[in-house]
Amino acid sequence: RDEAVDFELATTSIFEDIFGYQAKHLGQTGKKSAPDVLLISDEDGYQAIIDNKAYSSYSITGDHHNRMVHNYIGNIDGYSDYRLPIGFFSYIAGGFASNIDKQIQYEFDESNIPGSAISVGNMIKLVEQQQDQPYTHEELRRLFSMNRQIRLEDLSRR
């Protein structure tokens, strides 16, 4: 559990310090219906939801699906003071099960909010690219709105 909190705090720091979002760590704060990290893009006018998963092969179970669609997306006013539209949701994990693309598509179909999943390895690659050629928040929104897992080849198509 301590390592999961460290993972969430590191994610918050990356999105704030590296990508320039206002990032709020909400996970493990006692709010049962809040995601791990809330991102605010004043630059592009949206907020986004990040859910960290300390799994090497994460699959979105029915409970996790309902939590994202109904608690995080559907009840964003319960934990966010911002009135910006939701730009995207994303899962960050060590790796994903083979059906992750279909599961993300189901969440999009139900919520009408685009989403994605990105492995820790590809997140590191994204951070490295940010150092060389910074992404705008609009570009990041497009990348994290693919309604599937973000693959290495997606990061090379800038």
Side-chain angles (χ1 to χ4, degrees), residues 7 14-15 18-19 90-96 100-101 116-130 135 140 143-144 146 148-156:
F7 182 26
I14 286 169
F15 276 99
I18 307 291
F19 295 112
S90 191
Y91 295 94
I92 302 174
F96 297 95
I100 193 71
D101 290 352
S116 62
I118 186 167
S119 68
V120 170
N122 283 345
M123 192 69 198
I124 291 168
K125 181 73 173 163
L126 188 64
V127 167
E128 291 169 352
Q129 287 183 345
Q130 181 73 3
Y135 285 87
L140 289 167
L143 182 65
F144 281 93
M146 300 181 115
R148 63 171 174 77
Q149 185 176 180
I150 298 168
R151 296 175 180 80
L152 192 57
E153 56 268 21
D154 298 319
L155 302 180
S156 62

Side-chain angles (χ1 to χ4, degrees), residues 43-60:
E43 175 184 310
D44 207 43
Y46 65 87
Q47 52 190 335
I49 296 165
I50 304 293
D51 204 18
N52 292 86
K53 298 298 178 188
Y55 297 90
S56 60
S57 184
Y58 178 67
S59 179
I60 303 169

Side-chain angles (χ1 to χ4, degrees), residues 12-27:
T12 305
S13 177
I14 286 169
F15 276 99
E16 191 161 73
D17 300 338
I18 307 291
F19 295 112
Y21 285 91
Q22 184 178 347
K24 296 189 179 296
H25 177 243
L26 302 173

Side-chain angles (χ1 to χ4, degrees), residues 1-155:
R1 194 164 180 89
D2 289 340
E3 290 174 1
V5 173
D6 289 344
F7 182 26
E8 294 167 9
L9 290 170
T11 299
T12 305
S13 177
I14 286 169
F15 276 99
E16 191 161 73
D17 300 338
I18 307 291
F19 295 112
Y21 285 91
Q22 184 178 347
K24 296 189 179 296
H25 177 243
L26 302 173
Q28 315 299 325
T29 59
K31 292 187 177 191
K32 288 186 177 182
S33 61
D36 296 327
V37 182
L38 177 68
L39 305 178
I40 308 300
S41 172
D42 290 325
E43 175 184 310
D44 207 43
Y46 65 87
Q47 52 190 335
I49 296 165
I50 304 293
D51 204 18
N52 292 86
K53 298 298 178 188
Y55 297 90
S56 60
S57 184
Y58 178 67
S59 179
I60 303 169
T61 62
D63 181 49
H64 288 191
H65 168 91
N66 288 333
R67 194 174 305 154
M68 179 61 77
V69 171
H70 301 291
N71 296 7
Y72 300 169
I73 294 170
N75 189 36
I76 196 165
D77 292 342
Y79 59 85
S80 174
D81 297 329
Y82 299 89
R83 298 297 165 245
L84 298 169
I86 302 172
F88 63 85
F89 68 87
S90 191
Y91 295 94
I92 302 174
F96 297 95
S98 60
N99 60 345
I100 193 71
D101 290 352
K102 187 181 294 186
Q103 293 172 330
I104 291 168
Q105 186 64 49
Y106 286 152
E107 290 185 339
F108 169 72
D109 291 345
E110 193 168 337
S111 69
N112 206 34
I113 299 296
S116 62
I118 186 167
S119 68
V120 170
N122 283 345
M123 192 69 198
I124 291 168
K125 181 73 173 163
L126 188 64
V127 167
E128 291 169 352
Q129 287 183 345
Q130 181 73 3
Q131 306 299 329
D132 297 334
Q133 186 180 7
Y135 285 87
T136 66
H137 286 186
E138 181 182 343
E139 290 172 320
L140 289 167
R141 181 181 187 174
R142 272 197 305 270
L143 182 65
F144 281 93
S145 296
M146 300 181 115
N147 290 328
R148 63 171 174 77
Q149 185 176 180
I150 298 168
R151 296 175 180 80
L152 192 57
E153 56 268 21
D154 298 319
L155 302 180

